[in-house]
Amino acid sequence: MYIHSILRALISTLVPRHKSLPPVDEDAFAYMEKSMKHIPFYLRFLMILGLYFLQFSPLFLGFYFKPFTKMTPQQKDHYITTWANSRLSPKRNLIRGIRALCMIGAYSNPAILSHIGYTIDEHIRSRT
Amino acid sequence: MMIFTGKEITEDRRENADVCVIGSGAGGSVAAAELAEGGLDVVLLEEGGYYPSKEFNSNPSEMLPKLYRDGGASFILGSPGIAFSEGRCVGGGTVTNGALCWRLPDKVLKRWNWEHGLKDITPSELNPFFEKVEKSINVAHQKPESIAKGDYMFKEAAESLGYKVVNQNRNQKNCVGLNQCILGCPKDRKQSTLITYIPRALEKGTKLFADSRAIKIMKSNGVFTVKANVLDRETAKPRRKLTVTSKLVVLACGAIQTPVLLIGSRLGNSSGQVGRNFYCHPNVKTLAFFDKDIYYWKGAHQAFKIVDFLDAGLIIATGGVHPAIIAMTLPYFGRKHLEFMEQYNRMIGAGALIEDTTSGRVIRAPGGTPLMFYNIDKIGFERMRLGVALLSEIMFAAGARKILLPFLYLDEISSPDEIKKIYNPSIRPKQTESLTVHAMGTCRMGTDPARSVVNQWGESHDMKGLFIADASVIPTPIGVNPMLTIMALASRSAQYILDNKRTLNLI
């Protein structure tokens, strides 16, 4: 689906990356997909509308003259920064909402949890 | 035990009972257990799934969709938009909350009396219900060795500044500080209703239907009919129909879903107050970064609270949660986000709960989905600023080198001298990041049928035999965590029902 390609491009910009870590894009995308089934239809509708706006507004309102998915990683990063810090709350809230869901997926990945030093299983074992 | 999950219900089903309780959270589980123990035949419906604690784990991408409505990603529309989470599983919010237990402050009861005529709900009248509930869920202070290091740092810093810090009451038994409260305690140390009231209800013959969402309540010839959809747990789509006929209905779906069900059923709204007077205790949070490892997640959190600012409408405490929960609230992304998360073991999260100074509204959108609206007013926003300023002051006193703030254009300060920037007039409410886990009001209690939805016993002014026993009956903001109040009021309503079986046609 076209919306998935926009979402994947956005996720690839949002998720944490590090050379010693495996990519967590798929974890984030899988959680987004799972969540979309559960969130209320009005939020889902607004999210999809917002994603299309995010995709095509650079053609008309920015100086990129190409849709979001066709941008270089640096351009994507800059473009998403402007959305995340926008004075328009719908733009900010779209990034905030998708970022939140993405991060739950990404930070459920054992490699990234281990990278930041969160060793919960060890903690549970030591206390019980 | 009669627990029926969605996949076990393979055909449309009818049930008959004395009482149908809708919702198995703080209010519904108490009502179901006490009514069943009082000799009534109870059917308990729960929209969420049944997950015994052996199924709980520390993976948020697995547990959030199981235990929370909308996977924990609900949203209150307004200025600012407020992220909202509530439990949706057997046991409801008691399975997913931080186990904080506060009795209703006396000043709030006075306000209930003056504003809503609830003169019979006095501290001395309510205390026996609080005591009963507290005993059932084992409300106690944390053992010192179970408390996280970050909490002690918070306590010492606050005391060094002259603030009064007291131990929080929590519903736990032998808690060892696994810090898994919000994903479900895997060792049954948190005394949620899943392991307290619900087993008591089941013991007395209550039939519990999980994955069953009530969609309509009707009454004819003195008999209630509750229509419910049995949901497929994976897709949340209806699979089968469940119909319950009963003499009494106790609604306990929470302050968001209860008004939606009433509006959808065209019941109980002659006052026009259903869905109005929505309170949500908006929270603001800060993240403090230190130069040394703290491992704030190793131990119980929110073990202490500052009580100096209760009259100013603020509760201040710390909260150490799973990295995914911290990560979802950080204002950055990509590489910068990871740089902050790499300091996870050196951070302390803290928050301020703001007592509402305004109210919002819950409406029923087409399809039965609730829409919540809430705008912070000027006084509420000043409370937010004060909360953030106090949190910053305390964390700098604890040795923080940097604090992340919830303001869009002031996201970071690095010294106590910068706290004054929080009072910069250019910082606006809509540029503030806020979240909440409390929803109240929307079917408020009162003696005047023109201004309230239920009477002092939680019974609808419009329809005899229709009771509400959840946070929606709370008529004013209470400024403290509401679980205990919900449970005590539900217990009080249950006692009223048992004392009036004859007039309620139960015998």
Side-chain angles (χ1 to χ4, degrees), chain B residues 152-382:
Chain B
Y152 284 114
M153 289 170 67
F154 168 80
K155 181 175 188 274
E156 283 164 24
E159 284 175 342
S160 75
L161 292 164
Y163 299 133
K164 188 177 176 197
V165 182
V166 297
N167 289 330
Q168 295 252 39
N169 284 321
R170 305 180 83 224
N171 56 314
Q172 48 82 27
K173 193 183 276 180
N174 300 323
C175 172
V176 287
L178 300 182
N179 205 311
Q180 294 295 296
C181 289
I182 64 167
L183 299 179
C185 182
K187 302 291 179 188
D188 282 343
R189 305 297 167 94
K190 181 166 76 173
Q191 301 296 292
S192 71
T193 61
L194 179 65
I195 60 167
T196 53
Y197 279 97
I198 287 171
R200 276 170 52 183
L202 296 171
E203 176 95 351
K204 292 293 175 186
T206 296
K207 288 183 182 174
L208 166 59
F209 291 88
D211 308 302
S212 300
R213 178 178 169 85
I215 50 168
K216 193 159 193 173
I217 304 168
M218 294 168 288
K219 188 179 184 187
S220 67
N221 303 324
V223 176
F224 284 96
T225 303
V226 177
K227 290 197 174 292
N229 283 332
V230 179
L231 306 175
D232 181 287
R233 205 177 280 182
E234 291 305 311
T235 62
K237 296 215 161 69
R239 288 179 58 244
R240 298 287 170 206
K241 293 197 182 306
L242 172 64
T243 307
V244 183
T245 50
S246 61
K247 296 169 189 163
L248 229 68
V249 165
V250 177
L251 256 176
C253 316
I256 307 292
Q257 301 295 327
T258 286
V260 166
L261 184 52
L262 282 179
I263 293 166
S265 303
R266 297 175 195 274
L267 290 179
N269 196 19
S270 66
S271 64
Q273 295 296 316
V274 172
R276 295 181 186 273
N277 317 299
F278 168 53
Y279 307 113
C280 66
H281 288 165
N283 285 213
V284 279
K285 59 137 190 60
T286 59
L287 275 179
F289 293 82
F290 295 79
D291 285 327
K292 58 183 179 186
D293 284 341
I294 293 160
Y295 300 107
Y296 188 31
W297 49 276
K298 290 188 179 180
H301 62 107
Q302 301 191 69
F304 305 114
K305 64 192 173 194
I306 297 178
V307 291
D308 290 291
F309 303 101
L310 278 175
D311 286 338
L314 284 173
I315 297 181
I316 291 174
T318 52
V321 290
H322 191 283
I325 311 297
I326 295 285
M328 67 190 278
T329 63
L330 276 185
Y332 310 116
F333 59 88
R335 181 74 196 118
K336 190 174 180 187
H337 190 282
L338 184 61
E339 280 168 14
F340 276 92
M341 288 304 293
E342 283 167 343
Q343 302 171 65
Y344 177 69
N345 286 332
R346 297 181 169 203
M347 64 169 81
I348 295 181
L353 176 154
I354 312 296
E355 183 178 337
D356 308 70
T357 50
T358 182
S359 65
R361 190 173 178 189
V362 175
I363 64 167
R364 182 182 187 273
T369 307
L371 282 176
M372 298 86 84
F373 298 92
Y374 188 93
N375 290 313
I376 302 274
D377 66 352
K378 197 168 181 300
I379 305 169
F381 185 57
E382 289 311 312

Side-chain angles (χ1 to χ4, degrees), chain A residues 13-18 21 31 34-35 37-43 46 76-78 80-81 84-89 92-93 95-96 99-101 103-105 107-108 112-113 115-125 127-128, chain B residues 58-62 64-65 70-71 73 75 77 81 83 145-146 176-178 180 187 189 233-235 297-299 322-324 327-328 330-335 337-338 341-342 344-345 365-366 369-371 408-409 430-431 433-434:
Chain A
T13 311
L14 294 175
V15 293
R17 286 182 195 288
H18 192 273
L21 285 174
Y31 190 73
K34 199 196 290 189
S35 303
K37 289 180 199 157
H38 294 280
I39 63 175
F41 81 91
Y42 71 93
L43 277 183
L46 289 175
K76 281 179 184 159
D77 199 72
H78 181 259
I80 294 304
T81 303
N85 296 322
S86 170
R87 289 194 174 272
L88 297 173
S89 57
R92 284 200 313 271
N93 285 333
I95 301 299
R96 183 180 165 195
R99 180 178 58 202
L101 296 174
M103 294 305 174
I104 293 172
Y107 282 90
S108 295
I112 200 164
L113 291 175
H115 175 77
I116 63 167
Y118 183 71
T119 49
I120 186 65
D121 293 337
E122 203 178 282
H123 170 62
I124 292 175
R125 271 196 303 276
R127 296 254 175 149
T128 52
Chain B
S58 59
N59 184 345
S61 69
E62 198 181 315
L64 292 177
D70 309 334
F75 201 72
L77 302 166
E145 63 273 19
S146 69
V176 287
L178 300 182
Q180 294 295 296
K187 302 291 179 188
R189 305 297 167 94
R233 205 177 280 182
E234 291 305 311
T235 62
W297 49 276
K298 290 188 179 180
H322 191 283
M328 67 190 278
L330 276 185
Y332 310 116
F333 59 88
R335 181 74 196 118
H337 190 282
L338 184 61
M341 288 304 293
E342 283 167 343
Y344 177 69
N345 286 332
T369 307
L371 282 176
L408 182 62
Y409 301 118
K430 67 179 179 184
Q431 297 158 356
E433 194 157 300
S434 182

